[in-house]
Amino acid sequence: MSETINEQELLEYIAAKVKVDIGTIKLVLGHAQQFIDSAQEDAKGEVDIDSDELVDYILSRRDVKLDELTIETILDLEMDYLMEKGVAGYVD
């Protein structure tokens, strides 16, 4: 059904499309994961992530030197990759 996520393949997929070095992409994705891990679950045990809040959080990290559009693009490409692999999707 779903494949395991190959982190190196994910990083290369994003780097090929956004022209940002893999170390910076890894940094952005790491901060995104920290934000998601700290999000509160609702009564159903689900977590609702606001993409604007996520981008703002990443922008506020001192070690991130990218603009908002680049961060959004990295996150969008990560989701595209995960959807292609069948391990993620959007909830309406």
Side-chain angles (χ1 to χ4, degrees):
M1 182 163 167
S2 66
E3 292 183 31
T4 350
I5 299 170
N6 179 329
E7 182 183 10
Q8 189 61 37
E9 183 179 271
L10 167 64
L11 295 171
E12 289 171 3
Y13 173 88
I14 295 170
K17 297 182 183 224
V18 79
K19 306 301 183 229
V20 172
D21 70 89
I22 288 179
T24 302
I25 294 167
K26 194 171 187 175
L27 180 68
V28 168
L29 297 180
H31 286 308
Q33 191 60 53
Q34 290 171 350
F35 181 85
I36 292 166
D37 290 346
S38 68
Q40 299 295 316
E41 293 181 355
D42 63 15
K44 297 178 185 176
E46 298 175 352
V47 176
D48 184 31
I49 303 296
D50 180 285
S51 61
D52 291 333
E53 289 177 12
L54 174 58
V55 171
D56 289 344
Y57 173 81
I58 295 168
L59 278 169
S60 73
R61 304 297 93 192
R62 291 180 188 226
D63 54 352
V64 175
K65 307 292 185 217
L66 299 173
D67 60 79
E68 183 175 353
L69 181 59
T70 304
I71 292 170
E72 288 175 353
T73 302
I74 290 170
L75 296 174
D76 288 345
L77 288 168
E78 176 192 31
M79 184 56 104
D80 290 348
Y81 175 86
L82 296 174
M83 288 174 57
E84 285 177 18
K85 296 296 180 183
V87 294
Y90 289 104
V91 177
D92 293 329

